């Protein structure tokens, strides 16, 4: 019996998703291994040398720290034992601390050439300064700020206020953090809420952990990110739907006659926005709002008649100097961008991935206030 067209298409999409996941995983492994020498190996070994630790103690310190990312993400992923969870949290914290440690260490490498301080003192100062900055980063990541964006549009017949949250990463982050975010949203009292992907980044997140969504009194529109696709996507979408969230997968709806919302599935494909917008009817008379997780496709969105595109994904690097790395991958990593009559806003993200830490960036809940021209 011949497969139906729908079956063939579904099989093709599933195969493409598997290929994408494998490509992302391979890229992660290559990047992680390449960064381990300067970011993990060198600072640990150098500080142990400066502190004049004996060889056995250097090995005891080096092995669990230097291999923490590989151990936690390859061998302990999904392990619910208490020690495994604690080790993953330690690995995530070290992931955030390590670039701070490296940058501070390099400064002191230069200072000790000109200032008469012992290497033991220098090592202690490197550890103290890096730790204080990391603690600041943790506090910073725990308290998202509300950022307000004001715009005008001739297409609107009346004002509209809506909120974007993105990259909340429940799974990595707790339900308590989600409750805090939702409390901020409810305090704003928007007309609707947009969630632009990476809301969940773990399999088996129970509906009870997302229950605070029920307290949102306005409509919630959701487009998927890359992390939902890495996990139990169908179950995630079913849970969100039961909680009253409207999932937009390459689909449109009209919030009002003068405001259309479009949601497109995230894809590691620069032509995704152009392809999917070509499959839907864009209302040329309404203000068109596009939800798409990664900040690509502004030109295609402008050509299709989109007025405002909301994205996330980049975290603006989350911790300096990772913003420089992200900037090599994406042309637009944070803030507002324009192309023709279309605008793209790239949020720095509401939550965090990996270390619960932000240095040089802020977690944000973004309020858009758009008035008739």
């Amino acid at each position: 019996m011949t497969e139906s067209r729908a079956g063939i298409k579904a099989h093709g999409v599933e195969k493409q998703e598997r290929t994408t996941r494998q490509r992302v995983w391979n890229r992660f492994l290559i990047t992680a291994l390449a960064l381990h020498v300067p970011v993990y190996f060198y600072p640990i070994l150098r500080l142990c040398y400066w502190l004049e630790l004996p060889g056995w103690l250097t090995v005891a310190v080096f092995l669990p720290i230097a291999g923490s990312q590989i151990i936690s993400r390859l061998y302990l992923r999904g392990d619910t034992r208490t020690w495994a969870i604690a080790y993953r949290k330690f690995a995530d914290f070290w992931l955030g601390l390590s670039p701070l440690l490296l940058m501070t260490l390099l400064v002191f490498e230069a200072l000790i050439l000109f200032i008469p301080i012992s290497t033991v003192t220098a090592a202690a100062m490197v550890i103290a300064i890096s730790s204080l900055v990391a603690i600041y980063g943790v506090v910073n990541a725990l308290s998202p700020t509300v950022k307000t964006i004001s715009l005008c549009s001739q297409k609107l017949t009346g004002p509209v206020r809506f909120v974007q949250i993105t990259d909340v990463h429940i799974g990595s982050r707790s339900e308590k953090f989600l409750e805090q975010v939702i409390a901020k949203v409810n305090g704003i009292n928007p007309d609707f809420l947009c969630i632009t992907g990476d809301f969940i980044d773990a399999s088996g997140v129970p509906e009870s952990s997302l229950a605070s969504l029920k307290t949102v009194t306005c409509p919630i529109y959701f487009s998927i990110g890359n992390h939902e696709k890495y996990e139990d996507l169908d179950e995630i979408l079913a849970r969100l739907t039961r909680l009253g969230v409207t999932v937009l997968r390459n689909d449109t709806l009209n919030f009002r006659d003068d405001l259309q919302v479009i949601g497109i599935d995230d894809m590691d494909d620069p032509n995704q926005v152009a392809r999917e917008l070509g499959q839907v009817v864009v209302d040329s008379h309404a203000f068109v709002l596009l939800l798409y997780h990664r900040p690509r496709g502004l030109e295609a969105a402008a050509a299709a008649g989109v007025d405002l595109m909301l994205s996330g994904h980049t975290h603006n690097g989350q911790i300096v100097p990772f913003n420089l790395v992200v900037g090599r991958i994406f042309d637009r990593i944070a803030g507002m961008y324009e192309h023709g009559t279309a605008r793209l806003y790239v949020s720095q993200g509401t939550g965090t991935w990996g270390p619960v830490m932000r240095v040089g960036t802020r977690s944000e809940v973004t309020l858009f206030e758009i008035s008739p021209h």
Side-chain angles (χ1 to χ4, degrees):
M1 190 166 132
T2 310
E3 253 189 309
S4 68
R5 287 186 180 179
I8 293 172
K9 183 177 180 181
H11 178 73
V13 170
E14 183 180 346
K15 183 177 179 181
Q16 185 178 4
E17 291 296 323
R18 285 199 303 269
T19 302
T20 299
R21 285 195 293 269
Q22 188 61 49
R23 189 188 305 123
V24 170
W25 183 242
N26 291 342
R27 187 185 302 161
F28 167 77
L29 287 177
I30 292 170
T31 304
L33 291 172
L35 289 175
H36 262 61
V37 172
V39 177
Y40 277 75
F41 296 176
Y42 169 71
I44 299 168
L45 294 175
R46 189 62 167 163
L47 288 172
C48 287
Y49 175 76
W50 278 6
L51 291 169
E52 301 174 1
L53 300 184
W56 68 267
L57 186 53
T58 297
V59 172
V61 170
F62 177 79
L63 289 180
I65 295 177
S68 59
Q69 285 300 302
I70 294 172
I71 294 169
S72 65
R73 299 193 185 281
L74 277 181
Y75 300 107
L76 297 180
R77 176 179 168 81
D79 194 322
T80 57
R81 287 174 291 181
T82 302
W83 71 268
I85 294 171
Y87 185 78
R88 286 202 302 272
K89 289 183 178 179
F90 162 76
D92 283 343
F93 179 79
W94 191 267
L95 177 63
L97 177 63
S98 56
L100 306 176
L101 203 61
L102 175 61
M103 289 187 293
T104 311
L105 176 62
L106 292 176
V107 170
F108 274 84
E109 288 273 23
L111 286 178
I112 62 175
L113 296 175
F114 304 101
I115 300 175
I117 57 174
S118 70
T119 55
V120 173
T121 301
M125 293 180 70
V126 167
I127 294 169
I129 293 170
S130 301
S131 298
L132 287 173
V133 175
I135 291 168
Y136 158 79
V138 171
V139 174
N140 189 24
L142 291 173
S143 53
T145 59
V146 177
K147 182 174 182 178
T148 302
I149 306 290
S150 299
L151 301 170
C152 296
S153 174
Q154 294 178 339
K155 293 183 177 180
L156 291 176
T157 58
V160 64
R161 301 171 70 253
F162 57 88
V163 165
Q164 176 198 17
I165 60 175
T166 189
D167 300 275
V168 184
H169 287 280
I170 300 303
S172 293
R173 302 298 297 269
S174 69
E175 63 184 90
K176 294 295 184 184
F177 178 71
L178 178 59
E179 290 169 4
Q180 177 188 351
V181 171
I182 295 303
K184 286 184 180 289
V185 172
N186 286 335
I188 296 169
N189 192 28
D191 296 318
F192 59 90
L193 168 64
C194 302
I195 306 177
T196 51
D198 283 8
F199 184 61
I200 294 172
D201 70 359
S203 297
V205 174
E207 197 169 312
S208 59
S209 295
L210 310 173
S212 56
L213 290 172
K214 288 183 177 179
T215 67
V216 179
T217 56
C218 63
I220 305 174
Y221 305 133
F222 173 75
S223 62
I224 69 172
N226 55 297
H227 275 275
E228 283 88 10
K229 295 190 297 180
Y230 303 154
E231 309 301 338
D232 50 346
L233 176 60
D234 291 340
E235 288 79 4
I236 287 171
L237 299 183
R239 294 180 203 118
L240 292 177
T241 299
R242 287 194 296 270
L243 291 166
V245 176
T246 299
V247 177
L248 294 173
R249 302 195 65 186
N250 309 321
D251 203 357
T252 76
L253 60 78
N254 278 75
F255 171 72
R256 294 187 322 213
D257 289 342
D258 62 342
L259 201 162
Q260 181 185 38
V261 183
I262 303 174
I264 293 179
D265 281 7
D266 177 76
M267 189 73 71
D268 188 14
D269 181 348
N271 299 315
Q272 172 72 346
V273 170
R275 179 172 53 250
E276 296 302 333
L277 285 179
Q279 302 298 315
V280 300
V281 177
V282 179
D283 188 345
S284 60
H285 300 291
F287 182 91
V288 180
L289 175 65
L290 172 62
L291 313 182
Y292 184 61
H293 179 61
R294 66 185 69 205
R296 284 193 172 129
L298 174 58
E299 293 79 7
V306 170
D307 295 284
L308 177 62
M309 177 177 173
L310 303 184
S311 298
H313 187 62
T314 68
H315 294 224
N316 194 19
Q318 192 167 309
I319 300 169
V320 293
F322 291 133
N323 56 314
L324 302 178
V325 178
V326 174
R328 297 296 299 271
I329 301 171
F330 294 96
D331 295 332
R332 303 163 176 124
I333 65 171
M336 188 70 77
Y337 302 88
E338 296 185 17
H339 184 83
T341 58
R343 292 184 174 96
L344 163 66
Y345 184 76
V346 186
S347 169
Q348 298 187 69
T350 308
T352 51
W353 181 83
V356 181
M357 188 184 299
R358 279 188 177 269
V359 177
T361 66
R362 291 303 307 263
S363 295
E364 66 176 84
V365 172
T366 317
L367 168 63
F368 293 86
E369 297 182 326
I370 308 181
S371 304
H373 197 276

